Amino acid sequence: MVDQDQNIRRILVDSVGIDSPNAGPFLKRMMNIDADNQKNIRLILDRYGWIAESKIGTKAAEAFFYTIQHSDMTLMIKWFPEFKRLADIGEADKIECAMMEDRLLMWKGKKQIYGTQATVFRDDKKVAIWPIEDSKNVNERRKKIGFALTVEENSARLNAIYNENEQLPINSKR
């Protein structure tokens, strides 16, 4: 599941280009992969819950994360508390948990904590880092969680604009 999830995204980002006129078939394939993965992960989650990494290994734990991260907000809201509980006790990846928390906050129209999410929300239609709560201390928070890159370095990696004073868009619920 994790290989399929990440491979189609690598093709879209690194080879085709997400905004390319040729991206359509790849986006459709990505949506089909996401739907299949979500169907499979729901069966596991409904039966066992979010399983600790020490019981299933790193790659299977990544499959849980990526499948839920690329799902709808309903599934993410349902399972995030269990994911966070496991991350807090070292049984799930803290960085992945921070990414999901930021995505949930963004989808709720709130400022993110770790600056992991970039999207198109500005009037200029350029990809930018979603606004961050207490941006002055974001790199300290990132370092504490274990991120290797600062928010500035990550925005450059994502080819996204970063403005530490970025405000939430007027209609920020996504």
Side-chain angles (χ1 to χ4, degrees):
M1 287 172 26
V2 71
D3 289 342
Q4 289 181 334
D5 179 284
Q6 291 299 284
N7 287 341
I8 191 66
R9 284 170 170 80
R10 276 189 207 98
I11 291 167
L12 264 166
V13 172
D14 297 339
S15 299
V16 177
I18 197 106
D19 295 329
S20 166
N22 301 321
F26 297 97
L27 288 167
K28 184 175 180 179
R29 176 76 181 126
M30 182 180 73
M31 288 187 285
N32 289 336
I33 288 169
D34 288 351
D36 287 345
N37 284 349
Q38 288 165 33
K39 187 174 101 179
N40 292 330
I41 206 78
R42 283 174 202 245
L43 294 171
I44 297 166
L45 287 166
D46 289 344
R47 185 165 184 181
Y48 303 103
W50 199 298
I51 305 170
E53 188 173 324
S54 65
K55 293 183 179 179
I56 59 173
T58 302
K59 191 163 188 177
E62 284 180 342
F64 275 74
F65 164 70
Y66 282 117
T67 302
I68 302 300
Q69 182 79 344
H70 297 143
S71 71
D72 61 37
M73 194 162 62
T74 304
L75 194 59
M76 202 179 297
I77 287 170
K78 179 178 180 179
W79 290 103
F80 178 73
E82 182 64 9
F83 183 32
K84 178 127 176 69
R85 185 188 71 76
L86 289 170
D88 288 346
I89 62 170
E91 284 290 351
D93 189 283
K94 288 180 187 327
I95 290 173
E96 291 172 351
C97 188
M99 292 169 66
M100 189 175 291
E101 186 170 11
D102 274 356
R103 181 161 293 185
L104 273 170
L105 289 166
M106 180 181 74
W107 280 359
K108 291 177 179 180
K110 298 178 180 179
K111 291 184 176 185
Q112 59 181 322
I113 299 168
Y114 302 99
T116 64
Q117 302 299 300
T119 190
V120 175
F121 65 93
R122 297 162 43 126
D123 291 338
D124 63 11
K125 304 294 183 214
K126 293 184 178 178
V127 175
I129 300 296
W130 185 260
I132 301 168
E133 188 69 43
D134 185 23
S135 60
K136 300 279 188 228
N137 296 302
V138 67
N139 289 323
E140 186 178 312
R141 287 190 304 274
R142 289 175 66 88
K143 187 176 181 180
K144 184 177 178 184
I145 291 290
F147 284 98
L149 302 177
T150 64
V151 72
E152 293 85 0
E153 291 165 337
N154 192 51
S155 68
R157 181 187 68 84
L158 296 171
N159 197 25
I161 296 167
Y162 173 58
N163 174 357
E164 70 178 26
N165 298 312
E166 192 81 60
Q167 297 299 307
L168 288 170
I170 292 169
N171 185 10
S172 61
K173 287 210 172 183
R174 300 180 55 79

